[in-house]
Amino acid sequence: MKKIIFVNPPTPEKGVMVIRDLDRSGRKTREKTIWPQTNLAYLAAVMKNEGFDVEIMDCIADKIYWDKFEKIIDKKKPDYILFNSISSTISNDMRTASIAKENGAKSIAVGSHVTALPKKSMEKFTDLDFVTMGEAEETLKELVMFVENKKDFAGVLGIAWRNGGGIVVNEKRPLIKNLDSLPIPLHELLPINKYNLPFIGSKFTFVMESRGCPFRCTFCRSPIAWNRVFRTRSSDSIFKELQYLKKIGVKNILFHSDTFTVNKNIVIELCKKIIDNNLKIRWMCNSRVDTVDRETLDWMKKAGCEMIMYGIESGSQKVLDLSKKDITISKIIETVKNTRTAGIKVWGYFIIGLPGEDKETIEQTIKLAKELPLTLANFAVAAPYPGTEFQSLALEKGWLKSDNWEEYDQNYSAIVSYPDFTADEIIKTMKRAYKEFYFRPKVFWGLLFGIRSLHDIIVWTDVVFSHLKWVIFYKNKKKD
């Protein structure tokens, strides 16, 4: 039986946590968040159904560093290694391909970076055998069958591959029309006990309720994988996965879709199923402020929703409009207040340094963050990732300060600089936003009352010291 190992690669250095996923930007995380590798669990389920021996190695969660990883691969001798890769750790991640080659395995890279730049990725990293672009389930299945049967790879949609001394990028594969046709991800292969997220607790995992986002945000990487096409699973399919998770002891869930609440009917149907079947779970989700109403929020709360993460992005209407966010400040205020009234906590996501940003808009953002009844706030650097509309604009306007992908990290590096708002000022402002938001008694007490266990105390202590160290000592890598 042929063996495939699905890998979340080791970190560049010990003690550093890295977030990787198929359709996300990825970054180093000061929150010490360990993300479940559900996209790998989906792929493992598909290939297990095809008769392959499958295994998932989450080197982040299991603290497997490169020296140990090499020994494990040398011992297991898989036939294929598929691995997640992101822009900010791309050179590090590609060591996986080199180790695969040393051990006679075919290497396959997935992720938004290689999807946006398949040819450049293959040119730079010569040990890499294949890139699968975008949605990988059908592509991987077909690619492996072509390898096994020694067929011409020109017939496999959605891959980049080597043809002699050249690199061929095939046409993209159409998206899967019916997500219910996919098997339930093999969550049991993941080190679920080691995943953590603030306020949701340990032993949690991701559930993909839908794929894609129909909205137009210029900075978002989701369209690279899903082409701005929104597809949702049925409530029956989602509920079946929740029941399976409960059976294996998982009751803490993050619905990891870009926007959980796009389809109101599916959300309410799912909530009713959770309630009617007395399925005791705690869950969170990502959403937009213009896709929820009071009825939906009430059902979500009854069904166990603890927190909603809203992409607020900015307190400036000008910045929101230039980024094609298509929401208003008044709608942000209304929805956040309605969410708290429903008894659901709110985690607000903000981006510092989007086009149109200046000292005035920054003050508007910090002011809005402090005035909203948020439980948590995250302030990230605007990063023009490859394949986004933001990157095209930054190249056209000459805003980019670096073409080094490793510096495209929303938690640490500002690599855009505007005439009236520099990269160094973006980093300084992000630090000030964190200090002004969190160094307030009501936020402190809110976090304190949110602690449920010793695990929470350990996680929050680590998070606090990590942020303090960053605020005091970190300086932007790029000079203006």
Side-chain angles (χ1 to χ4, degrees):
M1 183 182 293
K2 293 294 182 77
K3 185 176 185 64
I4 305 178
I5 299 183
F6 300 87
V7 177
N8 185 24
T11 63
E13 54 187 294
K14 293 184 178 181
V16 173
M17 293 293 183
V18 175
I19 289 173
R20 296 190 190 92
D21 200 5
L22 177 67
D23 65 326
R24 301 301 173 100
S25 304
R27 57 186 170 86
K28 297 175 184 175
T29 170
R30 291 187 302 277
E31 299 88 25
K32 304 297 183 182
T33 302
I34 305 177
W35 274 23
Q37 296 297 296
T38 306
N39 74 304
L40 299 182
Y42 260 116
L43 296 171
V46 167
M47 297 313 295
K48 183 177 181 181
N49 287 349
E50 294 298 315
F52 285 79
D53 179 14
V54 298
E55 181 179 345
I56 297 174
M57 287 183 62
D58 189 343
C59 299
I60 305 296
D62 284 329
K63 296 183 179 179
I64 297 172
Y65 301 108
W66 285 110
D67 53 350
K68 184 176 180 181
F69 178 74
E70 291 189 50
K71 293 176 182 177
I72 292 173
I73 297 302
D74 181 62
K75 181 178 180 181
K76 292 181 180 291
K77 296 293 185 188
D79 299 283
Y80 301 88
I81 296 178
L82 180 143
F83 62 98
N84 274 331
S85 58
I86 59 174
S87 296
S88 58
T89 58
I90 190 66
S91 296
N92 169 83
D93 301 346
M94 288 297 169
R95 288 184 64 182
T96 312
S98 300
I99 292 169
K101 185 175 183 179
E102 291 170 2
N103 288 275
K106 296 292 185 183
S107 58
I108 307 166
V110 300
S112 55
H113 182 91
V114 295
T115 295
L117 302 170
K119 188 173 183 180
K120 287 185 177 179
S121 299
M122 297 281 286
E123 287 173 344
K124 184 172 182 180
F125 302 104
T126 56
D127 289 337
L128 178 62
D129 293 311
F130 301 100
V131 164
T132 66
M133 300 177 288
E135 197 164 52
E137 286 86 1
E138 294 297 322
T139 304
L140 175 63
K141 182 166 61 175
E142 191 171 288
L143 169 61
V144 171
M145 293 307 170
F146 270 55
V147 173
E148 292 299 306
N149 294 310
K150 297 180 173 58
K151 290 185 178 180
D152 184 358
F153 301 126
V156 183
L157 297 178
I159 67 167
W161 54 288
R162 300 185 188 280
N163 186 12
I167 295 167
V168 180
V169 179
N170 291 356
E171 290 185 22
K172 287 190 175 182
R173 180 178 296 272
L175 296 171
I176 298 169
K177 292 182 178 180
N178 180 13
L179 294 181
D180 286 4
S181 67
L182 292 172
I184 291 177
L186 295 178
H187 293 277
E188 68 267 26
L189 297 185
L190 299 171
I192 287 176
N193 288 329
K194 297 178 182 178
Y195 295 137
N196 67 69
L197 187 71
F199 280 97
I200 198 68
S202 59
K203 201 169 186 180
F204 91 102
T205 194
F206 289 163
V207 171
M208 293 289 290
E209 165 255 359
S210 61
R211 289 181 177 181
C213 181
F215 300 97
R216 321 186 287 154
C217 306
T218 62
F219 51 82
C220 184
R221 272 192 128 169
S222 173
I224 298 171
W226 316 126
N227 303 331
R228 296 196 193 281
V229 177
F230 176 78
R231 297 156 297 148
T232 184
R233 296 163 63 189
S234 67
S235 59
D236 287 337
S237 171
I238 303 164
F239 185 71
K240 183 179 179 182
E241 184 173 351
L242 296 178
Q243 288 180 308
Y244 147 72
L245 287 169
K246 192 68 181 290
K247 287 180 181 179
I248 63 172
V250 180
K251 60 181 180 179
N252 298 323
I253 307 293
L254 171 60
F255 287 104
H256 190 49
S257 312
D258 293 302
T259 308
F260 177 74
T261 50
V262 170
N263 189 315
K264 177 180 176 178
N265 291 335
I266 293 290
V267 172
I268 292 178
E269 283 177 13
L270 177 62
C271 289
K272 288 180 178 179
K273 282 181 169 61
I274 293 171
I275 296 165
D276 292 345
N277 289 274
N278 197 31
L279 190 67
K280 299 296 183 182
I281 60 173
R282 297 172 64 238
W283 55 276
M284 302 164 67
C285 67
N286 299 307
S287 186
R288 282 175 57 101
V289 298
D290 57 350
T291 62
V292 293
D293 56 22
R294 292 188 179 184
E295 180 188 9
T296 306
L297 290 169
D298 287 342
W299 279 111
M300 290 169 67
K301 175 61 180 176
K302 291 174 186 176
C305 181
E306 291 277 332
M307 180 179 282
I308 299 176
M309 287 91 93
Y310 289 119
I312 297 170
E313 321 310 358
S314 177
S316 164
Q317 192 62 55
K318 177 185 75 171
V319 172
L320 291 174
D321 292 345
L322 288 171
S323 298
K324 300 181 182 179
K325 184 68 182 180
D326 295 338
I327 59 174
T328 63
I329 300 298
S330 61
K331 190 63 177 178
I332 292 170
I333 295 169
E334 175 192 345
T335 299
V336 172
K337 287 182 177 179
N338 286 343
T339 305
R340 293 308 301 265
T341 299
I344 300 172
K345 301 179 182 70
V346 177
W347 191 337
Y349 279 75
F350 298 87
I351 300 177
I352 306 295
L354 289 168
E357 196 83 272
D358 55 32
K359 294 178 176 62
E360 180 182 355
T361 63
I362 285 297
E363 295 307 319
Q364 293 170 342
T365 295
I366 295 175
K367 181 174 182 288
L368 179 63
K370 292 165 66 176
E371 289 177 349
L372 291 172
L374 303 176
T375 307
L376 294 171
N378 184 78
F379 300 92
V381 172
Y385 287 104
T388 62
E389 187 176 337
F390 182 22
Q391 190 210 29
S392 299
L393 183 62
L395 288 168
E396 177 189 332
K397 298 290 187 181
W399 294 335
L400 285 181
K401 302 299 295 181
S402 172
D403 57 2
N404 180 3
W405 299 121
E406 268 81 359
E407 292 174 4
Y408 282 56
D409 191 311
Q410 289 181 289
N411 257 0
Y412 287 95
S413 301
I415 48 87
V416 292
S417 189
Y418 306 107
D420 53 354
F421 198 57
T422 67
D424 280 347
E425 287 174 322
I426 290 173
I427 291 293
K428 289 175 183 177
T429 300
M430 185 168 67
K431 289 183 177 184
R432 181 163 67 86
Y434 271 108
K435 287 189 286 186
E436 291 197 27
F437 181 84
Y438 283 102
F439 290 2
R440 295 180 295 156
K442 71 175 184 178
V443 174
F444 172 79
W445 288 112
L447 295 176
L448 190 64
F449 284 119
I451 291 175
R452 297 171 178 265
S453 64
L454 176 61
H455 175 269
D456 286 348
I457 294 174
I458 294 170
V459 170
W460 279 112
T461 301
D462 200 6
V463 169
V464 168
F465 278 105
S466 179
H467 274 77
L468 285 174
K469 181 180 178 181
W470 170 75
V471 167
I472 295 170
F473 296 110
Y474 181 79
K475 294 182 180 180
N476 192 37
K477 293 177 181 178
K478 297 306 298 177
K479 298 297 181 183
D480 298 300

